[in-house]
Amino acid sequence: MESADIENDDDISSSDNVEQTDSQISSHKTQSPSTQENDELEVFREEWREELKRKQQPQSSSVEEEAVSLYWMGAAAERSGDMHAALLFYKKACHLVPDIDFKLNKEQPPQSSDSEDSGDEDGPSGYERGSRELVEQFQTLSIQGPHWCTPARSTKSVHISSLPLDVVRCIVQWVVSAQLDMRSLEIVSMTCRALYCLAREPHLWRMACRRVWRDVSSASSYGDSWRRMFILKPHLQFNGVYISKNSYVRQGERSLDTFYRPYHTVVYYRFLRFLPDGSVMYQNTPENPMVSVSRLCHKHSRDESVLLGEYTHTGSKVVVEVVSQATGGSPQRQRGRGKGKRQGSSYDRKFHLELSLSSSSSRQRCNQLSWREYSCQSLHKPTGHAQTSHFNLDYTYTPFYFSRVKSYSTNSTGMLT
């Protein structure tokens, strides 16, 4: 009986243990989803921290060394003149290390410890040094080898490189022409390295300076560079025209009922075109500049409104004198006896203009002429009586501004000599 009771107690205890185990399993099952989510979130956080640490860590030495090597290879290619290969090396270096150029500018470049001091804080930056070196390399370019030019690809037609170098120099002088079209010369210099060198020859710019200034003794103040002197020293421009737009108000006629009185705004233009030989063309007309500039294309124009004269240029001062002959005036109708007959003007007029040459901006040099003095001397041919009138330079005398005219440089009348 007792044994049976004991067996029953064991069954009870075992059943209790089973119930306890089931409860633990059920509780474990109810807690497992949240625990797994916490574990996954913690793993994600750890991976994210490691990724941030990897991004914040500097580039590996091997990758950075390869980028530095590619960068200096590009610099060497640039010094030798192979710009295409230099760009390829620079792109590969920046692909490996995006800020490789900034890092190298803070360091001493290789093979330059003897010539430059990287510890000088007041010295030029790496970019400025590179730009200066590039300019110096372009200035030292020269034509080398038996042929002054080499074709980029084979062709059946005769290439310009077959011409002798002296003939090509004459062609370049025809490009500049007697009109001193230096803009066309710069365009030709962009063609190839050989024409770039020919367009930078000192004797070419020396001839241009002699055409502009009779005295070229001041070239020493520009580092004995004729091209630098021509660019920096103030001078007139010859491939266009200086235009001054003027306007005034004129009173009109009253209406029949005297209630309405109109006022008209009159607009007219003054044109000045300077030529390298010291002559100048002057015109005063109400016509649109698009129509008038064509009349100043040739020196000997048939238009009576175009006056010819001479000019002198000293520093920033420009003196212009143009003459209106008595036979070139508009005919006038006589009164009294001989009424109906027409005759020309009996006055010779000489206009004297003193202008000041300046630049309106850093990009547009020597493009503005401001008034300093304006007078007119009239000579009556029959009596010989002369009279001089000085004009008051008020706000109505607006400055002249330069405008380039393409038709002035399409043809060359002669080569630069």
Side-chain angles (χ1 to χ4, degrees):
M1 189 69 180
E2 293 178 359
S3 61
D5 294 336
I6 293 173
E7 290 177 358
N8 293 333
D9 293 336
D10 294 337
D11 293 338
I12 294 171
S13 61
S14 63
S15 62
D16 294 337
N17 293 333
V18 170
E19 291 177 357
Q20 185 178 1
T21 304
D22 293 339
S23 63
Q24 292 177 356
I25 292 173
S26 60
S27 64
H28 177 71
K29 288 182 180 180
T30 55
Q31 296 177 0
S32 60
S34 60
T35 306
Q36 290 178 358
E37 290 178 358
N38 293 333
D39 294 342
E40 291 177 358
L41 183 59
E42 189 64 28
V43 171
F44 174 76
R45 288 175 178 172
E46 289 295 333
E47 293 178 353
W48 182 54
R49 292 192 188 98
E50 292 178 359
E51 185 177 356
L52 288 178
K53 290 180 180 180
R54 286 197 302 269
K55 289 184 178 180
Q56 293 177 356
Q57 289 178 354
Q59 297 286 339
S60 61
S61 59
S62 60
V63 175
E64 189 169 352
E65 289 176 0
E66 184 179 358
V68 171
S69 177
L70 290 171
Y71 185 87
W72 293 123
M73 289 171 65
E78 184 178 353
R79 284 193 296 269
S80 63
D82 192 355
M83 303 302 295
H84 179 70
L87 288 175
L88 294 178
F89 285 124
Y90 287 148
K91 286 182 178 180
K92 292 180 180 179
C94 292
H95 181 72
L96 295 176
V97 181
D99 55 347
I100 184 65
D101 52 344
F102 296 100
K103 291 183 178 180
L104 292 178
N105 287 336
K106 297 178 181 179
E107 301 175 358
Q108 178 72 19
Q111 301 179 359
S112 63
S113 58
D114 298 336
S115 59
E116 296 181 359
D117 185 10
S118 62
D120 188 5
E121 296 180 357
D122 298 333
S125 62
Y127 178 78
E128 294 176 353
R129 290 196 302 269
S131 301
R132 185 175 57 189
E133 292 175 359
L134 185 61
V135 171
E136 293 176 355
Q137 291 169 10
F138 272 96
Q139 292 177 351
T140 56
L141 287 177
S142 60
I143 301 175
Q144 300 177 356
H147 300 285
W148 65 272
C149 181
T150 304
R153 56 181 181 274
S154 60
T155 177
K156 295 182 180 179
S157 59
V158 179
H159 195 260
I160 192 174
S161 60
S162 302
L163 295 175
L165 190 57
D166 294 337
V167 176
V168 181
R169 285 194 175 96
C170 292
I171 294 175
V172 173
Q173 293 181 17
W174 273 99
V175 170
V176 179
S177 72
Q179 290 87 2
L180 291 182
D181 187 10
M182 311 308 293
R183 185 177 184 274
S184 297
L185 178 66
E186 294 298 316
I187 295 174
V188 170
S189 66
M190 300 178 186
T191 307
C192 63
R193 184 173 64 179
L195 289 176
Y196 175 87
C197 296
L198 290 175
R200 295 298 190 276
E201 288 187 346
H203 79 280
L204 189 68
W205 292 91
R206 185 172 182 269
M207 289 189 293
C209 291
R210 285 188 176 274
R211 291 295 303 274
V212 178
W213 307 282
R214 301 296 181 264
D215 183 15
V216 292
S217 59
S218 60
S220 58
S221 59
Y222 296 93
D224 293 331
S225 174
W226 300 103
R227 183 173 181 272
R228 184 178 179 84
M229 175 181 175
F230 189 89
I231 294 174
L232 297 181
K233 190 174 181 179
H235 66 277
L236 296 168
Q237 303 188 44
F238 307 107
N239 60 340
V241 61
Y242 289 85
I243 304 175
S244 173
K245 183 179 179 180
N246 305 271
S247 63
Y248 64 91
V249 178
R250 186 184 67 181
Q251 181 178 343
E253 295 183 358
R254 287 178 177 270
S255 60
L256 296 177
D257 56 359
T258 67
F259 178 76
Y260 174 71
R261 169 174 286 182
Y263 287 85
H264 306 282
T265 301
V266 181
V267 179
Y268 66 98
Y269 300 89
R270 292 188 178 98
F271 299 93
L272 278 174
R273 186 193 175 189
F274 299 92
L275 301 177
D277 59 355
S279 58
V280 62
M281 304 172 68
Y282 176 76
Q283 186 182 25
N284 192 348
T285 176
E287 294 182 347
N288 189 281
M290 297 296 293
V291 179
S292 300
V293 293
S294 61
R295 299 175 182 174
L296 302 175
C297 186
H298 303 287
K299 181 178 179 180
H300 303 286
S301 176
R302 296 183 179 179
D303 193 343
E304 295 182 353
S305 63
V306 178
L307 305 181
L308 297 178
E310 297 180 351
Y311 73 93
T312 57
H313 178 208
T314 306
S316 61
K317 181 181 179 181
V318 181
V319 179
V320 178
E321 289 188 355
V322 292
V323 179
S324 174
Q325 299 291 341
T327 57
S330 59
Q332 297 177 355
R333 188 177 296 275
Q334 292 182 343
R335 295 182 179 181
R337 293 184 178 182
K339 185 177 180 180
K341 295 182 180 179
R342 303 174 71 88
Q343 65 177 5
S345 175
S346 58
Y347 285 92
D348 281 346
R349 291 183 174 88
K350 180 186 291 185
F351 297 93
H352 179 84
L353 292 77
E354 289 189 10
L355 307 169
S356 178
L357 181 64
S358 60
S359 302
S360 61
S361 63
S362 58
R363 291 188 175 183
Q364 298 179 351
R365 296 181 55 83
C366 304
N367 68 322
Q368 182 176 348
L369 288 172
S370 302
W371 292 88
R372 298 177 62 176
E373 185 179 342
Y374 184 30
S375 62
C376 176
Q377 181 180 3
S378 300
L379 176 64
H380 190 248
K381 296 287 288 185
T383 62
H385 176 71
Q387 181 181 1
T388 303
S389 302
H390 294 274
F391 299 96
N392 183 19
L393 300 179
D394 53 5
Y395 64 92
T396 58
Y397 289 86
T398 59
F400 291 85
Y401 291 96
F402 179 78
S403 177
R404 187 174 69 89
V405 182
K406 295 181 180 179
S407 61
Y408 291 173
S409 57
T410 53
N411 298 322
S412 298
T413 58
M415 66 183 296
L416 177 65
T417 54

